[in-house]
Amino acid sequence: MTTTDNTGTVLRFFENFNAGNAEAAFALLDEQVVWRVMGKPDRFPLAGDYDKDGVVRLLGTVGQVMPNGVELKITSSTAQDDRVVVEAESHGVSAAGKVYDNRLIYAFELRDSKILHIREYFDTIHANDVMVVTD
């Protein structure tokens, strides 16, 4: 795959995700995908590594906290070989009426046109303040 192909795969992932087409987005994930949400789990409960099934549970949790969804706007991307880095802005309102306005970096690794690893970096303090997650 070329860097252009890899970038296209990542951007299609976000396009499908934003359009609410989770099935098409998940089809772009490798079966061995690991999505790492950065942060310290004892301070931000959503931090940690998620396999493909875990990603579904993670997004379900976020969906409960953010019932009208989170709008994700890609602001830039860059690629080298099998890696793509995306900068994004995310906006939403929690079920408690708190405004979510965060900046994110996603680092992707691809294998055979599928997304193998995702590392998500963002302001975890702001996310925790807005997305209060209880067990």
Side-chain angles (χ1 to χ4, degrees):
M1 299 296 294
T2 68
T3 55
T4 301
D5 293 333
N6 288 334
T7 301
T9 297
V10 168
L11 294 179
R12 277 193 309 282
F13 172 78
F14 283 117
E15 287 169 7
N16 285 312
F17 216 82
N18 280 335
N21 191 349
E23 185 176 332
F26 288 151
L28 298 171
L29 300 178
D30 188 273
E31 289 303 313
Q32 301 301 313
V33 69
V34 175
W35 187 325
R36 176 171 287 169
V37 176
M38 296 302 173
K40 298 189 180 296
D42 60 324
R43 295 183 180 192
F44 181 61
L46 296 179
D49 290 350
Y50 297 88
D51 62 10
K52 202 168 189 177
D53 290 336
V55 170
V56 173
R57 289 190 303 277
L58 171 66
L59 297 175
T61 298
V62 172
Q64 289 175 354
V65 175
M66 306 292 287
N68 294 318
V70 176
E71 179 186 352
L72 191 66
K73 178 183 173 189
I74 305 303
T75 57
S76 72
S77 65
T78 188
Q80 181 179 7
D81 301 325
D82 62 349
R83 296 173 184 265
V84 178
V85 175
V86 171
E87 291 181 84
E89 297 176 358
S90 60
H91 304 279
V93 178
S94 75
K98 295 181 181 179
V99 174
Y100 184 68
D101 180 16
N102 215 336
R103 304 299 175 267
L104 304 94
I105 298 286
Y106 293 93
F108 290 84
E109 292 178 44
L110 291 93
R111 176 178 63 191
D112 300 326
S113 75
K114 297 280 187 168
I115 297 167
L116 180 62
H117 293 115
I118 305 169
R119 290 180 307 281
E120 182 178 1
Y121 302 85
F122 56 100
D123 181 349
T124 56
I125 293 171
H126 173 62
N128 200 52
D129 288 346
V130 175
M131 294 188 216
V132 177
V133 179
T134 58
D135 292 330

